[in-house]
Amino acid sequence: VQLQASGGGLVQAGGSLRLSCAASGPSEYAFINRYTVGWFRQAPGKEREFVSATRWNSLGTYYSDSVKGRFTISRDNGRNAVYLQMNSLKPEDTAVYYCAADRNLIVSSIQTHDQYDYWGQGTLVTVSS
């Protein structure tokens, strides 16, 4: 599966953005509903960190403590996409955001970036104070 992340941009603190992760590819492997999809972010000089994830077939959603209550992950199977709605943005949310997917993740691995096989190219989110 190929992933295309989009929706990043420059926003003032307190604002909102919605990131999209669109899936494509050959035949049955392109159906994003069959994948656990995660969002990760990486700020300059920092390690990549988990933000949120949705298990395959909508079996569950997960959030890091730093975004819980502000970000919402969702799926649109008709558009074969996963979205990350980000509200009440803070300057510390500034990072490159990546979406990732995998078909065989166990729950305990969902927050571990090196467990994902497929990655989008990243989209930059900049939050000004």
Side-chain angles (χ1 to χ4, degrees):
V1 66
Q2 288 85 47
L3 303 176
Q4 178 78 33
S6 62
L10 173 63
V11 64
Q12 288 188 331
S16 299
L17 283 173
R18 189 179 79 155
L19 305 183
S20 299
C21 179
S24 63
S27 65
E28 66 179 67
Y29 297 104
F31 294 115
I32 205 168
N33 191 45
R34 299 183 181 185
Y35 293 81
T36 290
V37 177
W39 285 97
F40 293 81
R41 65 187 182 187
Q42 189 164 18
K46 294 188 176 181
E47 293 191 356
R48 192 166 297 189
E49 66 172 353
F50 170 78
V51 176
S52 182
T54 172
R55 286 188 70 198
W56 71 277
N57 209 24
S58 302
L59 289 177
T61 57
Y62 305 83
Y63 299 92
S64 68
D65 289 342
S66 61
V67 308
K68 199 172 295 182
R70 300 188 297 123
F71 291 10
T72 303
I73 193 169
S74 62
R75 292 179 178 266
D76 185 336
N77 293 331
R79 288 184 165 82
N80 209 31
V82 169
Y83 303 102
L84 186 68
Q85 178 66 43
M86 306 186 297
N87 298 329
S88 302
L89 283 162
K90 305 175 180 179
E92 51 263 43
D93 294 318
T94 295
V96 177
Y97 284 69
Y98 300 89
C99 64
D102 198 277
R103 291 186 72 170
N104 301 305
L105 281 179
I106 59 176
V107 173
S108 60
S109 296
I110 283 174
Q111 300 189 25
T112 307
H113 66 84
D114 61 7
Q115 297 296 305
Y116 287 75
D117 284 342
Y118 306 99
W119 287 83
Q121 82 288 3
T123 184
L124 177 62
V125 172
T126 303
V127 184
S128 63
S129 57

